[in-house]
Amino acid sequence: SIDERVTISAYSESKDAIRKFKFNILNDLAESLNQQSGLYLVFQPKVSLATRKIIGVEALLRWQHPTLGEVQPDDFIPMAESTSLIKLLTEFVIVRSVAEAKRLRQLGITIPVSINISANNFAERNFAEKLDHLVRDGGLLPQDIEIECLETQRILESTEALACVKALRRKGYAIALDDFGTGYSNLNYLRNIPADLIKIDRSLIENLKSDSDSRIIVESLINMLHMLNYTVLAEGVEDRETLNYLEQYQCDIIQGYFYSPPMMLEKLITLIEAEQNG
Ligand code: C2E
Ligand code: CA
Ligand code: CA
Ligand code: CA
């Protein structure tokens, strides 16, 4: 039918348009990387529930696109992942994170800076050595940088990626498993990947207030992770009530808008210095 044909052609046209759009975005991203303009990092504090002090910061990538404005990482990082651009992008994130961590140290602030690393990066040849060089060339030590592993399931499916995570941990980098409790993540995989810290995904945390089943799940999860000797962080904590539950369950660290959104390092330094001065 005509209707059908119209639908099909509209569909393939839009698929074509999407392909073109992605292609353009990736070109623009390569351009931004080349010119070192438009890409920058923001930092979100991680707060100890016991001391209420900032005990670390997570580096999060931002991209100010020349015409589209601010593009969200969830909209361009997965695209970059499907190409070799992710290598350059991650290198950019590491170099900048190291430089900013160095600045913190010069101000007497010795908290680690966490970097997000995905399965493709870990599977890259000599990635552990490359990262370690960038850290040491920047005048830092492994304890100054923490690695957040994205896509844990995919890391476990790749011998190279898993070996890389193990090598980094042996070198002294703290390893965090990101987005725990999402996708096909299962408890059994904890036995196969070495880690120091588990980040419970926001999708589990955001239901604490409204849903008693979620409270049972999160409380049991925290207890179990503690018995396995992990430090536990809850992400996406947006209000006092959620924080109170997490405190009751003896969660170690919180991160989220309730305490602070990600911000430019300047602003964060002011926050930390205010905290240190009482
Ligand atoms: P993620 O690593 O799980 O990062 C947490 C995301 O939650 C961040 O979004 C952060 O801004 C947001 N967030 C923090 N607190 C709250 C809260 O209380 N409520 C809500 N609703 N959101 C909160 P962002 O910066 O948009 O990053 C999204 C994802 O993009 C990250 O998820 C990570 O998977 C990826 N990403 C970000 N930066 C990098 C990077 O430098 N390298 C790689 N490979 N991936 C990155
Ligand atoms: Ca993360
Ligand atoms: Ca996460
Ligand atoms: Ca996430």
Side-chain angles (χ1 to χ4, degrees), residues 68-134:
L68 297 173
E70 178 111 342
V71 185
Q72 295 308 306
D74 282 331
D75 291 329
F76 69 92
I77 292 176
M79 270 193 240
E81 289 280 356
S82 61
T83 74
S84 58
L85 259 189
I86 189 65
K87 280 194 195 181
L88 294 174
L89 208 55
T90 298
E91 193 173 312
F92 172 87
V93 170
I94 297 169
V95 169
R96 294 299 271 269
S97 296
V98 166
E100 301 289 49
K102 186 78 188 282
R103 254 182 77 207
L104 289 177
R105 267 139 205 75
Q106 283 162 348
L107 293 167
I109 302 168
T110 53
I111 54 176
V113 173
S114 302
I115 309 180
N116 288 287
I117 306 287
S118 61
N120 282 346
N121 289 128
F122 287 123
E124 198 185 306
R125 250 177 89 79
N126 298 326
F127 180 77
E129 289 69 30
K130 187 171 118 186
L131 184 145
D132 196 45
H133 276 134
L134 291 172

Side-chain angles (χ1 to χ4, degrees), residues 24-188:
N24 287 336
I25 287 279
L26 287 173
N27 265 335
D28 296 344
L29 186 59
E31 183 79 5
S32 287
L33 269 166
N34 259 331
Q35 310 202 330
Q36 300 269 313
S37 79
L39 287 161
Y40 60 97
L41 296 175
V42 288
F43 297 85
Q44 187 177 36
K46 301 179 174 188
V47 178
S48 157
L49 268 180
T51 65
R52 299 292 158 114
K53 292 249 155 69
I54 297 173
I55 53 150
V57 290
E58 176 177 6
L60 293 158
L61 191 58
R62 293 291 176 268
W63 184 25
Q64 188 67 37
H65 185 278
T67 54
L68 297 173
E70 178 111 342
V71 185
Q72 295 308 306
D74 282 331
D75 291 329
F76 69 92
I77 292 176
M79 270 193 240
E81 289 280 356
S82 61
T83 74
S84 58
L85 259 189
I86 189 65
K87 280 194 195 181
L88 294 174
L89 208 55
T90 298
E91 193 173 312
F92 172 87
V93 170
I94 297 169
V95 169
R96 294 299 271 269
S97 296
V98 166
E100 301 289 49
K102 186 78 188 282
R103 254 182 77 207
L104 289 177
R105 267 139 205 75
Q106 283 162 348
L107 293 167
I109 302 168
T110 53
I111 54 176
V113 173
S114 302
I115 309 180
N116 288 287
I117 306 287
S118 61
N120 282 346
N121 289 128
F122 287 123
E124 198 185 306
R125 250 177 89 79
N126 298 326
F127 180 77
E129 289 69 30
K130 187 171 118 186
L131 184 145
D132 196 45
H133 276 134
L134 291 172
V135 169
R136 291 178 192 276
D137 286 352
L140 295 188
L141 294 170
Q143 72 230 35
D144 298 321
I145 296 292
E146 186 175 279
I147 314 279
E148 294 195 5
C149 300
L150 305 169
E151 315 170 295
T152 310
Q153 190 60 47
R154 285 194 51 221
I155 295 170
L156 283 162
E157 286 162 3
S158 156
T159 320
E160 293 81 11
L162 187 58
C164 179
V165 173
K166 288 179 177 167
L168 284 167
R169 191 156 188 260
R170 265 198 312 275
K171 288 180 194 294
Y173 293 90
I175 303 292
L177 303 186
D178 210 339
D179 302 334
F180 192 80
T182 60
Y184 294 103
S185 62
N186 67 57
L187 298 176
N188 205 39

